[in-house]
Amino acid sequence: MLVGWGRAVPIGPQLAQRRLGLLCTALAGPLANLLLAAACLALRPADGQGAWAVFLETSALLNLLLCVVNLLPVQPLDGATCIQALCGERGWRRYQGLQPYLYVVGAGLLFTGLLGQYLLWAARTLLNLLPGGMLHG
């Protein structure tokens, strides 16, 4: 599997000073994934049969997986930027001190398979919450 091909969105110093701008920038990617998943479900045939329906359901699920992964609170993912925007400078420094431990916990969850189970559960839950999101089969 290839990981790390994405590039971080550059955030100018004038935007980094404003919490709302930072939060909106961080949420733009996951929101785009959520909207793409909703669009895939809206285009899916009503009977849910055929290759096109399977393609759209798979695309919706993959976009929701990307949304959930991007919201994990580990740098450089968007979840960490959301935390930076929501907490003050002092809280952000404390959070940065936890990052090495979060990497170790994340690696442990990844190798035990628990992280994958959580991500799939979260994506399927989001999928079922979207209009028309109940999967056939």
Side-chain angles (χ1 to χ4, degrees):
M1 174 171 29
L2 299 174
V3 177
W5 282 50
R7 302 243 189 273
V9 174
I11 300 174
Q14 70 280 5
L15 188 59
Q17 301 298 325
R18 296 185 177 96
R19 289 183 178 186
L20 182 60
L22 192 59
L23 184 64
C24 288
T25 303
L27 291 176
L31 182 61
N33 289 122
L34 193 62
L35 292 174
L36 282 170
C40 288
L41 293 174
L43 293 172
R44 185 180 60 174
D47 64 359
Q49 302 296 317
W52 182 243
V54 170
F55 170 76
L56 290 172
E57 287 177 358
T58 304
S59 295
L61 186 60
L62 286 175
N63 271 293
L64 291 172
L65 276 170
L66 286 171
C67 176
V68 171
V69 167
N70 272 326
L71 288 175
L72 289 175
V74 178
Q75 287 181 332
L77 299 176
D78 292 325
T81 307
C82 289
I83 290 174
Q84 179 182 3
L86 294 173
C87 67
E89 188 65 35
R90 184 175 173 212
W92 176 242
R93 281 194 303 267
R94 282 185 164 182
Y95 180 76
Q96 284 180 315
L98 293 174
Q99 282 297 308
Y101 304 107
L102 290 175
Y103 289 128
V104 171
V105 169
L109 292 173
L110 180 67
F111 289 123
T112 61
L114 292 174
L115 182 62
Q117 288 176 6
Y118 162 74
L119 294 175
L120 192 57
W121 169 82
R124 286 193 179 275
T125 300
L126 278 175
L127 184 68
N128 290 330
L129 291 174
L130 289 173
M134 296 298 284
L135 293 180
H136 296 92

